Amino acid sequence: DDDHSILKRYVSESMAGMDELRARLRDDGTIADRPADLPYSVADMREAFLEQHRRHLLRRERDGTPLPPIKVGFVSSGFNSKAVLYLSHDLFRFFDPELVEIHVFSTGAPDHPQFIRQTMRGVDWRQRVIDTVDYFHDVREFDGDHIALA
């Protein structure tokens, strides 16, 4: 649980940090300084966070060995020639493979080869995803309960 809490904390602190910046945003686009009389030290809080989560941030165990990548899964029936895939297929290229291992679970059928050849002018969007991710799992034959367990 502690390993997963860093992500939740990072996201919530990032959002809080953005809210705090927006609260100090002036009409002219500059950001006002923090009030001098805050009841806490931002620098001390940052250092405590870094100390607590340094191994995750540096992606190393305490003994220096690298942490395994985080496994992220995407499940969809639309890993074929659909508008959503057309707009999002490049998303998978931007994950750092040393940090994230991408698993795609496709519950839908691939496009018919004739459709790809004639309508899509030879572009197979599903294949582009397969070529980009670490693991592509065709789970059409699985019951929905099995996918939920994954």
Side-chain angles (χ1 to χ4, degrees):
D1 266 333
D2 186 44
D3 289 347
H4 300 292
S5 68
I6 184 172
L7 180 60
K8 293 176 188 173
R9 182 173 174 179
Y10 176 76
V11 169
S12 62
E13 287 186 3
S14 295
M15 292 305 295
M18 288 171 35
D19 288 343
E20 190 254 341
L21 281 175
R22 274 184 269 173
R24 293 188 291 126
L25 186 64
R26 297 182 181 132
D27 290 337
D28 65 0
T30 60
I31 297 176
D33 291 334
R34 287 188 180 98
D37 60 346
L38 287 175
Y40 57 88
S41 164
V42 174
D44 290 347
M45 289 177 66
R46 183 178 295 122
E47 189 54 42
F49 176 84
L50 288 173
E51 186 57 39
Q52 181 179 357
H53 299 292
R54 192 172 311 279
R55 72 186 189 101
H56 293 285
L57 297 171
L58 298 175
R59 304 287 309 142
R60 302 259 180 231
E61 292 286 359
R62 290 188 194 344
D63 66 0
T65 57
L67 289 172
I70 298 167
K71 294 180 181 181
V72 177
F74 295 87
V75 180
S76 177
S77 63
F79 288 110
N80 50 20
S81 298
K82 293 188 177 176
V84 173
L85 186 60
Y86 175 74
L87 296 171
S88 63
H89 76 280
D90 273 343
L91 159 85
F92 304 112
R93 292 186 313 122
F94 295 105
F95 287 96
D96 183 340
E98 290 185 19
L99 301 178
V100 180
E101 180 180 289
I102 301 295
H103 289 259
V104 168
F105 298 87
S106 177
T107 62
D111 290 323
H112 191 279
Q114 185 176 352
F115 173 80
I116 293 170
R117 224 177 15 262
Q118 293 178 349
T119 307
M120 300 307 296
R121 298 180 185 173
V123 178
D124 185 350
W125 294 103
R126 180 185 183 99
Q127 188 60 49
R128 285 190 179 192
V129 170
I130 292 170
D131 294 343
T132 305
V133 299
D134 298 306
Y135 298 94
F136 187 91
H137 309 277
D138 186 341
V139 293
R140 285 179 282 166
E141 306 300 320
F142 288 11
D143 183 309
D145 294 339
H146 291 91
I147 296 165
L149 291 172

